Coordinates of all heavy atoms in Angstrom, one line a residue:
M4 N 21.3 -125.7 -2.3 CA 20.9 -124.9 -1.1 C 21.7 -125.6 0.0 O 21.7 -126.8 0.2 CB 19.4 -125.1 -0.9 CG 18.9 -124.4 0.4 SD 17.2 -124.2 0.4 CE 16.8 -124.2 2.1
A5 N 22.4 -124.8 0.8 CA 23.2 -125.3 1.9 C 22.4 -125.6 3.2 O 21.3 -125.0 3.4 CB 24.1 -124.2 2.5
V6 N 22.6 -126.8 3.6 CA 22.0 -127.3 4.9 C 22.7 -126.8 6.1 O 23.9 -126.9 6.2 CB 22.1 -128.9 4.9 CG1 21.4 -129.4 6.1 CG2 21.5 -129.4 3.7
P7 N 21.8 -126.1 6.9 CA 22.5 -125.5 8.2 C 23.0 -126.6 9.1 O 22.4 -127.7 9.2 CB 21.3 -124.7 8.8 CG 20.1 -125.3 8.2 CD 20.5 -125.8 6.9
S8 N 24.1 -126.3 9.7 CA 24.7 -127.3 10.7 C 23.9 -127.2 12.0 O 23.2 -126.2 12.3 CB 26.1 -127.0 11.0 OG 26.3 -125.7 11.5
P9 N 23.6 -128.4 12.7 CA 23.0 -128.4 13.9 C 23.5 -127.4 14.9 O 24.8 -127.3 14.9 CB 23.0 -129.8 14.5 CG 24.0 -130.5 13.6 CD 24.3 -129.7 12.4
V10 N 22.7 -126.7 15.7 CA 23.3 -125.8 16.7 C 23.2 -126.5 18.0 O 22.3 -127.1 18.6 CB 22.4 -124.6 16.8 CG1 22.8 -123.6 17.9 CG2 22.4 -123.8 15.4
S11 N 24.4 -126.4 18.8 CA 24.6 -127.1 20.1 C 24.4 -126.1 21.2 O 24.8 -124.9 21.0 CB 25.9 -127.8 20.1 OG 26.1 -128.2 21.4
A12 N 23.7 -126.5 22.2 CA 23.6 -125.5 23.3 C 24.9 -125.5 24.2 O 25.1 -124.5 24.9 CB 22.5 -126.1 24.3
E13 N 25.7 -126.5 24.0 CA 27.0 -126.4 24.7 C 28.1 -125.5 23.9 O 28.1 -125.7 22.7 CB 27.6 -127.9 24.7 CG 26.9 -128.8 25.6 CD 27.0 -128.4 27.1 OE1 28.1 -128.0 27.5 OE2 26.0 -128.4 27.8
P14 N 28.7 -124.7 24.5 CA 29.7 -123.9 23.9 C 30.9 -124.8 23.4 O 31.2 -125.8 24.0 CB 30.2 -123.0 25.0 CG 29.9 -123.6 26.3 CD 28.7 -124.5 26.0
C15 N 31.5 -124.4 22.3 CA 32.6 -125.2 21.8 C 33.8 -125.1 22.7 O 34.2 -124.0 23.2 CB 32.9 -124.6 20.5 SG 34.3 -125.3 19.6
P16 N 34.4 -126.3 23.1 CA 35.5 -126.3 24.0 C 36.7 -125.4 23.6 O 37.4 -124.8 24.3 CB 36.0 -127.6 24.0 CG 34.8 -128.5 23.7 CD 34.0 -127.6 22.7
E17 N 36.8 -125.1 22.2 CA 37.9 -124.2 21.8 C 37.6 -122.8 22.3 O 38.6 -122.0 22.4 CB 37.9 -124.3 20.2 CG 38.4 -125.6 19.6 CD 38.4 -125.5 18.2 OE1 38.4 -124.4 17.6 OE2 38.5 -126.6 17.6
D18 N 36.4 -122.4 22.6 CA 36.2 -121.1 23.0 C 36.3 -120.9 24.6 O 36.3 -119.9 25.1 CB 34.7 -120.7 22.7 CG 34.4 -120.7 21.2 OD1 35.5 -120.3 20.5 OD2 33.3 -120.8 20.8
W19 N 36.6 -122.1 25.3 CA 36.7 -121.9 26.7 C 38.0 -121.4 27.1 O 39.0 -121.5 26.3 CB 36.7 -123.4 27.3 CG 35.3 -124.1 27.3 CD1 34.1 -123.5 26.8 CD2 35.0 -125.4 27.6 NE1 33.1 -124.5 26.9 CE2 33.6 -125.5 27.4 CE3 35.7 -126.4 28.1 CZ2 33.0 -126.8 27.6 CZ3 35.2 -127.7 28.3 CH2 33.8 -127.9 28.1
P20 N 38.0 -120.6 28.3 CA 39.4 -120.2 28.7 C 40.3 -121.2 29.3 O 39.8 -122.3 29.7 CB 38.9 -119.1 29.8 CG 37.7 -119.8 30.4 CD 37.0 -120.4 29.2
Y21 N 41.5 -121.0 29.3 CA 42.6 -121.8 30.0 C 42.4 -121.7 31.5 O 42.2 -120.6 32.0 CB 44.0 -121.5 29.4 CG 44.3 -122.2 28.1 CD1 44.1 -121.5 26.9 CD2 44.7 -123.5 28.2 CE1 44.4 -122.1 25.7 CE2 45.1 -124.1 26.9 CZ 44.9 -123.4 25.8 OH 45.1 -124.0 24.6
L22 N 42.5 -122.8 32.1 CA 42.5 -122.8 33.5 C 43.8 -122.2 34.1 O 44.9 -122.7 33.5 CB 42.2 -124.2 34.1 CG 40.9 -124.9 33.6 CD1 40.9 -126.3 34.2 CD2 39.7 -124.0 34.2
D23 N 43.7 -121.4 35.1 CA 45.1 -120.9 35.6 C 45.4 -121.5 37.0 O 44.8 -122.3 37.6 CB 44.9 -119.3 35.6 CG 43.8 -118.8 36.5 OD1 43.2 -119.7 37.4 OD2 43.4 -117.8 36.5
Q24 N 46.4 -120.8 37.6 CA 46.8 -121.4 39.0 C 45.8 -121.1 40.2 O 46.0 -121.7 41.1 CB 48.2 -120.8 39.2 CG 49.3 -121.2 38.3 CD 50.6 -120.5 38.6 OE1 50.6 -119.5 39.3 NE2 51.7 -121.2 38.0
D25 N 44.8 -120.3 39.9 CA 43.8 -120.2 40.8 C 42.9 -121.4 41.0 O 42.4 -121.8 41.9 CB 42.9 -118.9 40.5 CG 43.5 -117.7 40.6 OD1 44.6 -117.5 41.3 OD2 43.1 -116.7 40.0
V26 N 42.9 -122.2 39.9 CA 42.2 -123.6 39.8 C 43.0 -124.6 40.0 O 42.7 -125.6 40.8 CB 41.3 -123.6 38.6 CG1 40.5 -124.9 38.4 CG2 40.3 -122.3 38.4
L27 N 44.1 -124.7 39.1 CA 45.0 -125.9 39.2 C 46.0 -125.8 40.2 O 46.7 -124.6 40.4 CB 45.6 -126.0 37.8 CG 44.7 -126.3 36.7 CD1 45.4 -126.5 35.3 CD2 43.8 -127.6 36.9
Q28 N 46.4 -126.9 40.8 CA 47.4 -126.9 41.9 C 48.5 -128.0 41.4 O 48.0 -129.0 40.7 CB 46.9 -127.4 43.2 CG 45.7 -126.5 43.7 CD 45.0 -127.2 44.8 OE1 45.2 -128.4 45.2 NE2 44.1 -126.4 45.5
A29 N 49.7 -127.8 41.7 CA 50.8 -128.8 41.4 C 50.3 -130.1 42.1 O 49.9 -130.2 43.3 CB 52.1 -128.3 41.9
S30 N 50.6 -131.2 41.5 CA 50.3 -132.6 42.0 C 51.4 -133.4 41.5 O 51.8 -133.5 40.5 CB 48.9 -133.0 41.4 OG 48.8 -134.4 42.0
R31 N 52.0 -134.2 42.5 CA 53.1 -135.1 42.2 C 52.7 -136.6 42.4 O 53.6 -137.5 42.7 CB 54.4 -134.8 43.1 CG 54.9 -133.4 42.7 CD 56.2 -133.2 43.6 NE 56.8 -132.1 43.1 CZ 58.0 -131.9 42.9 NH1 58.8 -132.9 43.0 NH2 58.5 -130.7 42.5
N32 N 51.5 -136.9 42.4 CA 51.1 -138.3 42.4 C 50.1 -138.6 41.3 O 50.0 -137.7 40.3 CB 50.4 -138.5 43.8 CG 49.3 -137.6 44.2 OD1 48.6 -137.1 43.2 ND2 49.2 -137.3 45.5
R33 N 49.4 -139.6 41.3 CA 48.4 -140.1 40.3 C 47.2 -139.2 40.2 O 46.4 -139.3 39.4 CB 48.1 -141.5 40.3 CG 47.1 -141.9 41.3 CD 46.7 -143.3 41.1 NE 45.6 -143.6 41.9 CZ 44.3 -143.4 41.6 NH1 44.1 -142.9 40.3 NH2 43.4 -143.7 42.4
Q34 N 46.9 -138.3 41.3 CA 45.8 -137.4 41.2 C 46.2 -136.2 40.4 O 46.3 -135.1 40.9 CB 45.5 -137.0 42.8 CG 45.0 -138.2 43.5 CD 44.5 -137.8 44.9 OE1 44.9 -136.7 45.3 NE2 43.8 -138.7 45.6
A35 N 46.1 -136.4 39.2 CA 46.5 -135.3 38.2 C 45.3 -135.3 37.4 O 44.5 -136.2 37.2 CB 47.7 -135.5 37.5
C36 N 45.2 -134.2 36.6 CA 44.0 -134.0 35.6 C 43.8 -135.2 34.7 O 42.6 -135.7 34.4 CB 44.2 -132.7 34.8 SG 44.2 -131.2 35.7
I37 N 44.8 -135.8 34.2 CA 44.7 -136.7 33.2 C 43.9 -138.0 33.7 O 43.4 -138.7 33.0 CB 46.1 -137.3 32.6 CG1 46.0 -138.2 31.4 CG2 47.0 -137.9 33.7 CD1 45.5 -137.5 30.2
T38 N 44.0 -138.2 35.1 CA 43.3 -139.3 35.7 C 42.0 -139.0 36.3 O 41.3 -139.8 37.0 CB 44.1 -140.0 36.7 OG1 44.5 -139.1 37.9 CG2 45.5 -140.5 36.3
C39 N 41.6 -137.7 36.1 CA 40.3 -137.3 36.7 C 39.2 -137.6 35.8 O 39.2 -137.6 34.6 CB 40.4 -135.7 36.8 SG 39.0 -135.0 37.7
H40 N 38.0 -137.8 36.5 CA 36.8 -138.2 35.9 C 36.3 -137.1 34.8 O 35.6 -137.3 34.0 CB 35.7 -138.4 36.9 CG 34.3 -138.6 36.4 ND1 34.0 -139.7 35.7 CD2 33.2 -137.8 36.5 CE1 32.7 -139.7 35.3 NE2 32.3 -138.4 35.7
W41 N 36.6 -135.8 35.3 CA 36.2 -134.7 34.4 C 37.1 -134.3 33.2 O 36.7 -133.6 32.3 CB 36.1 -133.4 35.4 CG 35.2 -133.6 36.5 CD1 35.5 -133.8 37.8 CD2 33.7 -133.7 36.4 NE1 34.4 -133.9 38.5 CE2 33.3 -133.8 37.7 CE3 32.8 -133.6 35.3 CZ2 31.9 -133.9 38.0 CZ3 31.5 -133.6 35.7 CH2 30.9 -133.8 36.9
C42 N 38.2 -134.9 33.1 CA 39.2 -134.6 31.9 C 38.7 -135.3 30.6 O 38.4 -136.5 30.6 CB 40.5 -135.1 32.4 SG 41.8 -134.7 31.1
R43 N 38.7 -134.4 29.6 CA 38.3 -135.0 28.3 C 39.4 -134.5 27.2 O 39.9 -133.5 27.3 CB 37.0 -134.4 28.0 CG 35.8 -135.0 28.9 CD 35.4 -136.4 28.5 NE 34.2 -136.7 29.4 CZ 34.3 -137.1 30.6 NH1 35.3 -137.0 31.4 NH2 33.1 -137.4 31.2
H44 N 39.5 -135.3 26.1 CA 40.2 -134.9 25.0 C 39.2 -134.5 23.9 O 38.2 -135.2 23.7 CB 41.1 -136.0 24.5 CG 42.2 -136.3 25.4 ND1 42.1 -137.1 26.5 CD2 43.5 -135.9 25.3 CE1 43.2 -137.2 27.1 NE2 44.1 -136.5 26.5
H45 N 39.5 -133.4 23.2 CA 38.6 -133.1 22.0 C 39.5 -132.8 20.8 O 40.6 -132.3 21.0 CB 37.8 -131.8 22.4 CG 36.8 -132.0 23.5 ND1 35.6 -132.5 23.3 CD2 36.9 -131.7 24.8 CE1 34.9 -132.6 24.4 NE2 35.7 -132.0 25.3
A46 N 39.0 -132.9 19.7 CA 39.8 -132.5 18.5 C 39.4 -131.1 18.2 O 38.3 -130.7 17.9 CB 39.3 -133.5 17.3
G47 N 40.5 -130.3 18.2 CA 40.3 -128.8 17.9 C 40.5 -128.5 16.5 O 40.5 -129.5 15.6
A48 N 40.8 -127.3 16.1 CA 41.1 -126.9 14.7 C 42.2 -127.7 14.2 O 43.2 -127.9 15.0 CB 41.2 -125.5 14.7
S49 N 42.2 -128.1 12.9 CA 43.2 -128.8 12.3 C 43.5 -130.1 13.1 O 44.7 -130.6 13.1 CB 44.4 -128.0 12.1 OG 44.2 -126.8 11.3
C50 N 42.6 -130.6 13.8 CA 42.7 -131.9 14.6 C 43.8 -131.8 15.6 O 44.3 -132.8 16.1 CB 43.0 -133.1 13.6 SG 41.6 -133.3 12.5
I51 N 44.0 -130.6 16.1 CA 45.0 -130.5 17.3 C 44.2 -130.8 18.5 O 43.2 -130.2 18.8 CB 45.6 -129.0 17.4 CG1 46.3 -128.7 16.1 CG2 46.3 -128.8 18.7 CD1 46.9 -127.3 16.0
P52 N 44.7 -131.8 19.3 CA 43.9 -132.1 20.6 C 43.9 -131.1 21.7 O 44.9 -130.4 21.9 CB 44.9 -133.3 21.0 CG 46.2 -133.2 20.5 CD 46.0 -132.5 19.1
L53 N 42.8 -130.9 22.2 CA 42.4 -130.1 23.3 C 42.2 -130.8 24.5 O 41.3 -131.8 24.6 CB 41.3 -129.1 22.9 CG 41.5 -128.1 21.9 CD1 40.0 -127.5 21.6 CD2 42.5 -127.1 22.1
L54 N 42.8 -130.5 25.5 CA 42.4 -131.2 27.0 C 41.6 -130.2 27.7 O 41.8 -129.0 27.8 CB 43.8 -131.4 27.8 CG 44.8 -132.3 27.0 CD1 46.1 -132.1 27.6 CD2 44.3 -133.6 27.0
T55 N 40.4 -130.8 28.1 CA 39.4 -129.9 28.8 C 39.1 -130.4 30.2 O 39.1 -131.7 30.4 CB 38.1 -129.8 28.0 OG1 37.5 -131.0 27.8 CG2 38.5 -129.2 26.6
C56 N 38.6 -129.6 31.0 CA 38.0 -130.0 32.2 C 36.5 -129.7 32.1 O 36.1 -128.4 31.9 CB 38.6 -129.2 33.5 SG 37.7 -129.5 35.0
Q57 N 35.7 -130.8 32.1 CA 34.2 -130.5 32.0 C 33.5 -129.8 33.3 O 32.5 -129.2 33.0 CB 33.5 -131.9 31.8 CG 34.0 -132.5 30.5 CD 33.6 -131.8 29.2 OE1 32.4 -131.5 29.1 NE2 34.7 -131.5 28.4
L58 N 34.2 -130.1 34.4 CA 33.6 -129.5 35.6 C 33.8 -128.0 35.5 O 32.9 -127.2 35.9 CB 34.3 -130.1 36.8 CG 33.8 -129.5 38.2 CD1 32.4 -129.8 38.5 CD2 34.7 -130.0 39.2
H59 N 35.1 -127.5 35.3 CA 35.3 -126.1 35.2 C 35.0 -125.4 33.9 O 35.3 -124.2 33.7 CB 36.7 -125.8 35.7 CG 37.0 -126.3 37.0 ND1 36.5 -125.6 38.1 CD2 37.7 -127.3 37.5 CE1 37.0 -126.2 39.3 NE2 37.6 -127.2 38.9
R60 N 34.7 -126.2 32.8 CA 34.5 -125.6 31.5 C 35.7 -124.9 31.1 O 35.6 -123.6 30.7 CB 33.2 -124.9 31.5 CG 31.9 -125.5 31.8 CD 31.5 -126.3 30.4 NE 30.2 -126.7 30.6 CZ 29.9 -128.1 30.5 NH1 30.7 -128.9 30.3 NH2 28.6 -128.5 30.6
G61 N 36.8 -125.4 31.2 CA 38.1 -124.7 30.8 C 39.0 -125.6 30.1 O 38.9 -126.9 30.2
L62 N 40.0 -125.1 29.4 CA 41.1 -125.8 28.8 C 42.2 -125.9 29.7 O 42.5 -125.2 30.6 CB 41.5 -125.0 27.5 CG 40.5 -124.8 26.4 CD1 41.1 -123.8 25.4 CD2 40.2 -126.2 25.7
I63 N 42.9 -127.1 29.5 CA 44.0 -127.5 30.3 C 45.3 -127.3 29.4 O 45.3 -128.0 28.3 CB 44.1 -128.8 31.0 CG1 42.6 -129.0 31.8 CG2 45.2 -129.2 31.8 CD1 42.3 -130.5 32.1
A64 N 46.3 -126.6 29.9 CA 47.5 -126.4 29.0 C 48.1 -127.8 28.8 O 48.2 -128.5 29.8 CB 48.4 -125.4 29.6
H65 N 48.8 -128.0 27.6 CA 49.4 -129.3 27.4 C 50.5 -129.4 28.3 O 51.4 -128.5 28.7 CB 50.0 -129.3 25.9 CG 48.9 -129.6 25.0 ND1 48.3 -130.8 24.7 CD2 48.2 -128.6 24.2 CE1 47.4 -130.6 23.8 NE2 47.3 -129.4 23.5
G66 N 50.7 -130.6 28.9 CA 51.7 -130.9 30.0 C 51.1 -130.6 31.4 O 51.5 -131.4 32.3
A67 N 50.2 -129.6 31.7 CA 49.7 -129.4 32.9 C 48.7 -130.4 33.4 O 48.6 -130.8 34.5 CB 48.8 -128.0 32.9
H68 N 48.2 -131.2 32.4 CA 47.3 -132.3 32.7 C 48.1 -133.4 33.4 O 47.5 -134.3 33.9 CB 46.7 -132.8 31.4 CG 47.5 -133.5 30.5 ND1 48.5 -132.9 29.7 CD2 47.6 -134.8 30.1 CE1 49.1 -133.7 29.0 NE2 48.5 -134.9 29.1
L69 N 49.4 -133.5 33.3 CA 50.2 -134.5 34.0 C 50.7 -134.2 35.4 O 51.1 -135.0 36.1 CB 51.4 -134.8 33.1 CG 51.1 -135.4 31.6 CD1 52.4 -135.5 30.9 CD2 50.4 -136.6 31.7
T70 N 50.8 -132.8 35.6 CA 51.4 -132.3 36.8 C 50.4 -131.4 37.7 O 50.9 -130.8 38.7 CB 52.6 -131.5 36.5 OG1 52.2 -130.4 35.6 CG2 53.7 -132.4 35.8
S71 N 49.2 -131.4 37.3 CA 48.3 -130.5 38.0 C 47.0 -131.2 38.3 O 46.6 -132.1 37.6 CB 48.0 -129.3 37.2 OG 49.2 -128.6 36.9
R72 N 46.3 -130.6 39.2 CA 44.9 -131.1 39.5 C 44.2 -130.0 40.3 O 44.7 -129.0 40.7 CB 44.8 -132.3 40.4 CG 45.2 -132.1 41.8 CD 45.1 -133.4 42.7 NE 45.5 -133.1 44.1 CZ 44.7 -132.8 45.1 NH1 43.4 -132.6 44.8 NH2 45.1 -132.5 46.2
C73 N 42.8 -130.0 40.4 CA 42.0 -129.1 41.1 C 41.5 -129.6 42.4 O 41.6 -130.9 42.5 CB 41.0 -128.5 40.2 SG 39.5 -129.6 40.1
P74 N 41.0 -128.9 43.3 CA 40.5 -129.5 44.6 C 39.4 -130.5 44.4 O 39.0 -131.2 45.2 CB 40.0 -128.3 45.4 CG 40.8 -127.1 44.8 CD 41.0 -127.4 43.4
A75 N 38.7 -130.4 43.2 CA 37.6 -131.2 42.9 C 37.9 -132.6 42.1 O 37.0 -133.2 41.7 CB 36.5 -130.4 42.1
W76 N 39.2 -132.9 42.2 CA 39.6 -134.1 41.5 C 38.8 -135.2 41.9 O 38.6 -135.5 43.1 CB 41.1 -134.4 41.8 CG 41.7 -135.6 41.1 CD1 42.2 -135.6 39.8 CD2 41.6 -136.9 41.5 NE1 42.6 -136.9 39.6 CE2 42.3 -137.7 40.6 CE3 41.3 -137.5 42.7 CZ2 42.4 -139.1 40.7 CZ3 41.4 -138.9 42.8 CH2 42.0 -139.7 41.8
T77 N 38.4 -136.1 41.0 CA 37.7 -137.3 41.3 C 38.1 -138.5 40.5 O 38.6 -138.3 39.4 CB 36.2 -137.2 41.2 OG1 35.9 -136.9 39.8 CG2 35.5 -136.3 41.9
D78 N 38.3 -139.7 41.1 CA 38.7 -140.8 40.5 C 37.9 -141.1 39.1 O 36.8 -141.0 39.3 CB 38.9 -142.0 41.4 CG 39.9 -142.9 41.1 OD1 40.6 -142.8 40.0 OD2 40.0 -144.0 41.9
D79 N 38.6 -141.7 38.2 CA 37.8 -142.1 37.0 C 36.9 -143.2 37.2 O 37.2 -144.1 38.1 CB 38.9 -142.6 35.9 CG 38.3 -142.8 34.6 OD1 37.2 -142.3 34.3 OD2 38.9 -143.5 33.8
Q80 N 35.8 -143.2 36.7 CA 34.7 -144.1 37.0 C 35.2 -145.6 36.7 O 34.7 -146.4 37.4 CB 33.5 -143.8 36.1 CG 32.7 -142.5 36.5 CD 32.2 -142.5 38.0 OE1 31.6 -143.4 38.4 NE2 32.4 -141.5 38.6
A81 N 36.0 -145.8 35.7 CA 36.4 -147.1 35.4 C 37.3 -147.7 36.6 O 37.1 -148.8 36.9 CB 37.2 -147.2 34.2
R82 N 38.1 -146.8 37.2 CA 38.8 -147.3 38.4 C 38.0 -147.5 39.6 O 38.2 -148.4 40.4 CB 39.9 -146.2 38.7 CG 41.2 -146.4 37.8 CD 42.3 -145.5 38.4 NE 43.1 -145.1 37.3 CZ 42.9 -144.0 36.6 NH1 42.0 -143.2 36.9 NH2 43.8 -143.7 35.6
Q83 N 37.0 -146.6 39.7 CA 36.1 -146.7 40.9 C 35.3 -148.0 41.0 O 35.0 -148.6 41.9 CB 35.0 -145.6 41.0 CG 35.8 -144.3 41.5 CD 34.6 -143.1 41.4 OE1 33.5 -143.3 41.1 NE2 35.1 -142.0 41.8
R84 N 34.8 -148.3 39.7 CA 33.8 -149.4 39.6 C 34.5 -150.7 39.0 O 33.8 -151.7 39.0 CB 32.6 -149.1 38.8 CG 31.8 -147.9 39.5 CD 30.7 -147.6 38.6 NE 30.0 -146.4 39.2 CZ 29.0 -145.7 38.7 NH1 28.6 -146.2 37.4 NH2 28.5 -144.7 39.1
G85 N 35.6 -150.6 38.3 CA 36.2 -151.7 37.6 C 35.7 -151.6 36.2 O 34.9 -150.9 35.8
W86 N 36.4 -152.4 35.4 CA 36.1 -152.6 33.9 C 34.7 -153.1 33.7 O 34.3 -153.9 34.3 CB 37.2 -153.3 33.2 CG 37.0 -153.3 31.8 CD1 36.6 -154.3 31.0 CD2 37.4 -152.3 30.9 NE1 36.6 -153.9 29.6 CE2 37.1 -152.6 29.6 CE3 37.9 -150.9 31.0 CZ2 37.3 -151.8 28.5 CZ3 38.1 -150.2 30.0 CH2 37.8 -150.6 28.8
A87 N 34.0 -152.4 32.7 CA 32.7 -152.8 32.3 C 31.8 -153.0 33.4 O 31.2 -154.1 33.7 CB 32.7 -154.1 31.5
P88 N 31.4 -152.0 34.3 CA 30.6 -152.2 35.4 C 29.2 -152.6 35.1 O 28.4 -153.2 35.9 CB 30.6 -150.7 36.1 CG 31.0 -149.9 35.0 CD 31.8 -150.6 34.1
E89 N 28.7 -152.3 33.9 CA 27.4 -152.6 33.4 C 27.2 -154.0 33.4 O 26.1 -154.6 33.3 CB 26.9 -151.9 32.1 CG 27.8 -152.3 30.9 CD 29.2 -151.6 30.8 OE1 29.5 -150.8 31.6 OE2 29.9 -152.0 29.8
G90 N 28.3 -154.9 33.2 CA 28.1 -156.3 33.1 C 28.0 -157.0 34.6 O 27.7 -158.2 34.7
A91 N 28.3 -156.2 35.6 CA 28.2 -156.7 36.9 C 26.9 -157.0 37.5 O 25.9 -156.3 37.0 CB 29.0 -155.9 37.9

């Protein structure tokens, strides 16, 4: 008898739409998606990495994470508080 897989309330990031130019803006400094608190990496189908924005619930096209950001960009928590803030 097959065991059903757990059902998650969160939609699968693979089903999210790609963010477009209405959301992402060109950025030529370190304020890019890759350094944002909301940016995450997920393993997609066949272990192909997906870049996502948790805030906008959208996918970030490969390469755009280095040259784009949205108006809601926030610094990564590790940079804001320093390494291992729980030990402070």
Side-chain angles (χ1 to χ4, degrees):
M4 182 169 155
V6 177
S8 61
V10 177
S11 172
E13 290 292 317
C15 178
E17 290 180 18
D18 297 334
W19 291 354
Y21 276 91
L22 300 178
D23 57 18
Q24 292 178 343
D25 292 337
V26 176
L27 297 179
Q28 305 166 352
S30 178
R31 292 183 174 227
N32 57 30
R33 75 172 194 86
Q34 291 183 350
C36 292
I37 193 71
T38 62
C39 182
H40 172 71
W41 300 106
C42 184
R43 299 285 189 279
H44 290 83
H45 295 276
S49 301
C50 295
I51 296 172
L53 296 173
L54 300 165
T55 64
C56 175
Q57 298 294 308
L58 179 65
H59 295 290
R60 297 279 191 239
L62 296 170
I63 303 167
H65 288 280
H68 68 295
L69 301 172
T70 60
S71 303
R72 70 176 182 91
C73 79
W76 181 92
T77 57
D78 207 359
D79 188 19
Q80 294 295 317
R82 278 192 212 87
Q83 285 180 358
R84 298 181 184 170
W86 186 254
E89 65 277 359

